[in-house]
Amino acid sequence: MTQTAHGVEFSQQLSETPKSAEERAAVLANPGFGDYFTDHTAVVDYKVDADGNGGWQNARIEPYGPISLDPSAAVLHYGQEIFEGLKAYRHADGSVWTFRPEANAARLNKSARRLALPELPEEYFLGAIRELVQADKEWVPSGDGEALYLRPFMIATEAFLGVRAAREVSFRVIASPAGNYFGGELKPVSIWISREYARAGRGGTGAAKCGGNYAASLIAQQEAEANGCKQVLFLDHFNDDAVEELGGMNVFFVMKDGSLVTPALSGTILEGVTRMSVIQVAKDMGREVTERKITLDEWRDGVASGEITEVFACGTAAVITPIGVLKDATEFIGSEDAKAGDTTMAIRQQLLGIQTGTVEDTHGWLTRLV
């Protein structure tokens, strides 16, 4: 059976052993985050031919399962890998929509250029998401704050050990039903200041969404968790301890006058799709938003003086999460008893409302999948 989406044909080999309705219901009753996966995956192959011409081919939906790789596959040795994250939301009428997928497709290609991987035409990206969600539509949860998390990724699959860009690549999409990222009731989280480690460096891969950036952040994240914190804050130690981002989220500050400030994109900060959406939603509310350098000293002094009234983090997985305390072994900024701020919650509710269909989408951000 062949489906057509966005002008690209996807062949279908559906699973002969999909989860039963009972098994699926048990998962959806408590999905967690990234713990369970749907029955299928979308795949598109890339290969360079003898004449040096590369092309995407063999777009397909196939059963979810292990990937067969040669031990010398480039991704295993040189880390040629990128990924994205977005969600599919079930609306009240049963339809399923995703949020700003074109922005994710564009960022994937920005990451591909930085990692010397081939760019993927937008129609393949959008088609893969649509076909996968249509095949696994019963996996999209409908609970409050729940969604089907989509993970598109691209890996270098060519078998060789020479140091060069791979000539064989696989683009794939997998899906996982997801609940609240930090679990339970939305409460301000504690953040650990990383004094020793950096997330990215000038001229590096900080603006790309690649696995290496996250691998490098894990030791700092472990340090944060050992000190009772949910996330870690990375600073630019060579630029007055300028605030960069958390391990996987961008940061916003709400000022006393109601305006918002967020660190300017410097090449070491990932341009989050949620970040750009928060900026627009805040402007829609009549709030001024400034992208600029903001230092740890300004954070500390601003909280102490009342100039900074709220701080929150944002990203696809957690959407918007208020920050209560920022700390390290000697520093303690904020309050463990802090409540989620009014501005933080207003922006969160507006953004979630657009995503879930309870607030009008005036920007055309939603794409229907089912």
Side-chain angles (χ1 to χ4, degrees):
M1 179 179 179
T2 299
Q3 299 285 332
T4 302
H6 296 278
V8 178
E9 290 189 346
F10 279 75
S11 64
Q12 285 198 342
Q13 178 195 344
L14 298 183
S15 173
E16 295 180 358
T17 57
K19 294 287 192 296
S20 68
E22 292 77 15
E23 289 173 310
R24 192 170 57 244
V27 169
L28 295 182
N30 184 23
F33 188 89
D35 297 323
Y36 304 97
F37 298 91
T38 66
D39 296 309
H40 298 92
T41 181
V43 187
V44 190
D45 299 323
Y46 176 90
K47 190 169 185 177
V48 176
D49 63 23
D51 297 323
N53 300 312
W56 292 97
Q57 57 194 3
N58 195 18
R60 62 198 184 274
I61 298 296
E62 64 184 31
Y64 181 93
I67 299 172
S68 178
L69 286 175
D70 191 283
S72 66
V75 65
L76 302 176
H77 300 271
Y78 305 124
Q80 258 193 300
E81 180 270 354
I82 57 176
F83 68 97
E84 276 297 318
L86 65 164
K87 288 179 176 178
Y89 301 86
R90 189 176 296 283
H91 288 191
D93 64 359
S95 61
V96 179
W97 302 69
T98 191
F99 181 75
R100 306 192 73 175
E102 300 86 359
N104 290 98
R107 189 173 64 179
L108 182 88
N109 281 334
K110 181 178 179 181
S111 298
R113 290 191 292 272
R114 182 61 185 85
L115 273 292
L117 287 162
E119 293 186 42
L120 180 77
E122 183 182 274
E123 58 265 28
Y124 280 98
F125 185 94
L126 299 180
I129 288 168
R130 184 185 300 275
E131 293 301 311
L132 177 59
V133 174
Q134 287 183 349
D136 287 337
K137 58 183 178 294
E138 300 301 327
W139 282 93
V140 183
S142 57
D144 184 38
E146 296 179 345
L148 184 67
Y149 182 81
L150 304 171
R151 170 52 61 85
F153 63 100
M154 188 185 297
I155 58 174
T157 55
E158 185 182 1
F160 77 105
L161 293 179
V163 183
R164 59 164 172 77
R167 295 170 184 152
E168 294 178 14
V169 170
S170 178
F171 169 75
R172 293 170 177 262
V173 186
I174 57 177
S176 173
N180 189 303
Y181 187 74
F182 289 118
E185 179 186 353
L186 182 69
K187 295 185 292 188
V189 297
S190 299
I191 306 296
W192 183 257
I193 307 169
S194 179
R195 297 289 190 179
E196 183 176 356
Y197 303 106
R199 177 186 169 275
R202 303 286 175 178
T205 59
K209 195 168 179 67
C210 62
N213 291 344
Y214 292 79
S217 76
L218 294 180
I219 188 170
Q221 179 66 29
Q222 287 180 327
E223 187 178 72
E225 292 170 356
N227 286 277
C229 293
K230 293 286 190 181
Q231 268 283 350
V232 61
L233 172 73
F234 291 102
L235 305 170
D236 185 344
H237 299 301
F238 301 98
N239 186 24
D240 303 322
D241 277 345
V243 174
E244 297 237 293
E245 61 177 276
L246 305 187
M249 306 175 77
N250 296 115
V251 183
F252 278 84
F253 301 85
V254 181
M255 313 306 284
K256 183 171 62 176
D257 63 3
S259 65
L260 272 66
V261 174
T262 192
L265 301 175
S266 59
T268 57
I269 296 174
L270 182 68
E271 183 177 8
V273 175
T274 307
R275 175 188 183 275
M276 66 173 73
S277 304
V278 166
I279 290 172
Q280 185 60 59
V281 165
K283 289 179 177 178
D284 292 345
M285 293 177 168
R287 297 180 182 273
E288 180 183 349
V289 183
T290 304
E291 299 177 67
R292 64 169 173 83
K293 172 182 172 181
I294 183 165
T295 65
L296 181 62
D297 285 344
E298 183 177 355
W299 188 337
R300 179 192 305 109
D301 296 343
V303 169
S305 69
E307 182 63 28
I308 295 174
T309 59
E310 303 172 33
V311 188
F312 64 86
C314 69
T316 298
V319 189
I320 290 177
T321 300
I323 295 174
V325 173
L326 179 68
K327 65 180 182 178
D328 66 7
T330 60
E331 189 95 41
F332 197 97
I333 302 170
S335 169
E336 289 184 324
D337 298 322
K339 301 269 194 268
D342 291 342
T343 299
T344 298
M345 293 307 294
I347 294 174
R348 185 178 192 273
Q349 289 165 8
Q350 181 73 8
L351 187 57
L352 271 174
I354 295 170
Q355 292 171 337
T356 58
T358 61
V359 172
E360 184 183 2
D361 173 23
T362 59
H363 296 288
W365 285 342
L366 295 178
T367 295
R368 183 167 183 168
L369 301 177
V370 177

